[in-house]
Amino acid sequence: MSIFTDIADQWQIADGALGDLEQAAFAADDDQRFDAADEQRKRNDQAYFLFLFTRFEDAVNEAITVIVGNRVSGVVWAERRVWEAWLGQDVTAIRFMSKIEILMDKSLHQYGIIKEYYRGRNDIAHGSIWNEPLLSGVMRTIGAEVPIL
């Protein structure tokens, strides 16, 4: 098991419980309770997505640290100079999508997925609501569509 599947499994349990609240409210024909449960479910989706994405960012940072270290060790200056520019920096200070561009080809479908998820991550992290209608689907498929480093 990985942290990614652990988080997705935890989300599944929480989402199921909130779904049960929605169903109970629907069965009781209680619109106010239904709307409250629906809002809780959306916020839960976003909280778990943000948590999941922070773990992905951590995996990206670890991969970049390894790559930069490998590119400056025992390599002639002409080949390592670009990598040395990143060597002295805190890896978290490097722009996230620049790191992704080092790790994968921008023409890949997965690159576009990561870019969209990153936009959603920023929306959520800065107080907006990510209007991704399939956010729960993201949670179910994150490990299948996006290569985990």
Side-chain angles (χ1 to χ4, degrees):
M1 282 262 194
S2 73
I3 187 67
F4 302 101
T5 54
D6 288 348
I7 293 168
D9 290 348
Q10 291 167 8
W11 167 82
Q12 189 94 26
I13 292 165
D15 187 64
L18 292 168
D20 290 345
L21 289 176
E22 278 183 330
Q23 287 297 330
F26 181 79
D29 199 24
D30 187 336
D31 291 342
Q32 188 175 1
R33 259 184 38 210
F34 182 86
D35 290 345
D38 182 58
E39 185 64 26
Q40 290 171 349
R41 198 171 191 184
K42 288 176 189 173
R43 290 185 188 275
N44 185 66
D45 286 350
Q46 292 190 11
Y48 272 100
F49 171 77
L50 191 56
F51 182 42
L52 186 70
F53 200 90
T54 64
R55 300 304 83 214
F56 180 67
E57 286 175 309
D58 188 55
V60 167
N61 289 339
E62 288 179 26
I64 290 297
T65 299
V66 169
I67 288 171
V68 170
N70 289 340
R71 297 294 181 177
V72 297
S73 300
V75 179
V76 296
W77 179 79
E79 293 178 20
R80 74 174 189 261
R81 64 184 173 166
V82 172
W83 299 102
E84 282 186 345
W86 278 8
L87 186 62
Q89 292 186 42
D90 177 3
V91 71
T92 61
I94 300 168
R95 198 173 72 82
F96 179 75
M97 289 309 296
S98 293
K99 292 181 273 190
I100 295 298
E101 291 163 7
I102 294 297
L103 296 172
M104 70 179 357
D105 185 341
K106 287 172 66 172
S107 68
L108 293 175
H109 172 70
Q110 290 88 348
Y111 176 86
I113 292 170
I114 292 170
K115 190 174 182 179
E116 180 63 19
Y117 289 175
Y118 185 59
R119 185 186 65 76
R121 171 253 183 247
N122 287 337
D123 285 352
I124 295 168
H126 296 285
S128 296
I129 300 296
W130 188 27
N131 291 320
E132 175 59 46
L134 301 176
L135 189 55
S136 61
V138 169
M139 294 300 300
R140 289 187 184 96
T141 61
I142 187 94
E145 289 192 32
V146 177
I148 301 303
L149 308 169

